[in-house]
């Protein structure tokens, strides 16, 4: 087996940490970190104390408390969603301004990054209520990067003169083109993301995908393609499970056959997604992160890192 040089990996990580893009990302995450911490506390309280199957609700039999405080729970849920959107908006704004900080119009760039991310993160429900779609940090970074590149593309060089207001006006008017371009792109993305018409593109895509992935027509290539698209959407923080969902009946058939014969070979649906994986081999989530935090707190020697993980 090939032995990997640990020092070369350390050197490679160090080179990444010195890149300007890494510094841009770091600054954006630091700006939103306090809001993320506060939101984490609130979400912990919500999940542990104010849900029907919450840990403390089940242990101390607080079902009556949950039932009698429905209004408070709804308000706290909305607040948690707002803070998540707000934190990601700050990341998008800070990242876009860092990328374009060499230009004079970075304030307009940051404002359009906030506008774009917020518009892409909300939609109207069936009763015309406002629904916040929780997109991840990756989506916020891509939004900030796209907005900054749009402003950079339409940049116009002007002669700088403190006393020349005409040049200042020209520099300001050059923001009109990138702003119109960004609004057009956001509108297109909203249409493609099925936020305008409930019977639009997503409904047709869902019909096509589910037809290709019915129990009797599983094939390897479509499954691999859908898995790839599903992983990309999750990495970007976009919940597309309703679009890339698989039939649970095929999974249950395979699982029952494996339990009956004590062996996963000769499954009825060989290429059914997540047949045994979710039941027996799925690792990850909040529990894995919590375990890592506990280990570092116990054996870690860096006091600054331990203080950070304590928060």
């Amino acid at each position: 087996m090939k032995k990997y040089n640990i020092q070369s990996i350390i050197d490679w990580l160090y080179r990444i940490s010195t890149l300007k893009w890494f510094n841009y990302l770091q600054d954006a995450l630091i700006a939103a970190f306090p809001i993320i911490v506060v939101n984490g506390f609130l979400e912990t309280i919500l999940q542990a104390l104010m849900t029907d199957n919450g840990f403390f609700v089940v242990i101390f039999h607080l079902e009556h408390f949950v039932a009698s405080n429905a209004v408070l729970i709804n308000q706290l849920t909305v607040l948690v969603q707002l803070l998540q959107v707000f934190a990601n908006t700050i990341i998008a704004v800070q990242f876009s301004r860092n990328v374009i900080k060499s230009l004079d119009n970075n304030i307009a760039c940051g404002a359009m990054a906030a506008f774009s991310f917020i518009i892409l993160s909300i939609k109207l429900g069936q009763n015309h209520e406002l629904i916040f779609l929780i997109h991840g940090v990756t989506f916020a970074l891509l939004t900030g990067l796209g907005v900054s590149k749009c402003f950079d593309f339409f940049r116009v060089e002007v002669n700088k003169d403190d006393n020349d207001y005409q040049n200042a006006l020209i520099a300001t008017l050059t923001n009109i083109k990138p702003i119109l371009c960004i609004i057009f792109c956001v509108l297109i993305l909203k249409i493609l993301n099925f936020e305008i018409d409930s019977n639009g593109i997503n409904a047709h895509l869902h019909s096509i995908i589910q037809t290709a992935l019915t129990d009797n027509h599983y094939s390897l290539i479509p499954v691999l393609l859908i898995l790839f698209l599903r992983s990309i959407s999750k990495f970007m923080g976009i919940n597309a499970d309703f679009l890339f969902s698989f039939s649970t009946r095929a999974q249950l058939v395979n699982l029952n056959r494996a339990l009956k014969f004590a062996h996963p070979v000769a499954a009825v649906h060989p290429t059914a997604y997540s047949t045994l994986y979710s039941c027996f081999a799925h690792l990850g989530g909040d529990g894995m992160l919590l375990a890592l935090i506990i280990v570092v707190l116990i054996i870690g020697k860096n006091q600054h890192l331990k203080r950070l993980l304590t928060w």
Side-chain angles (χ1 to χ4, degrees), residues 247-259:
S247 172
T248 56
R249 190 175 75 83
Q251 299 175 19
L252 292 176
V253 169
N254 284 355
L255 180 59
N256 290 332
R257 185 177 181 86
L259 294 174

Side-chain angles (χ1 to χ4, degrees), residues 30-76:
I30 289 175
F33 182 71
I35 300 174
I36 295 174
V37 172
V38 172
N39 184 70
F41 282 129
L42 293 178
E43 190 166 9
T44 300
I45 295 173
L46 180 65
Q47 296 297 329
L49 285 173
M50 299 184 177
T51 56
D52 294 333
N53 59 349
F55 177 77
F56 291 107
V57 173
V58 175
I59 295 298
F60 298 106
H61 303 288
L62 300 176
E63 292 82 2
H64 177 72
F65 171 79
V66 175
S68 60
N69 291 276
V71 176
L72 174 63
I73 294 173
N74 290 335
Q75 295 298 322
L76 184 59

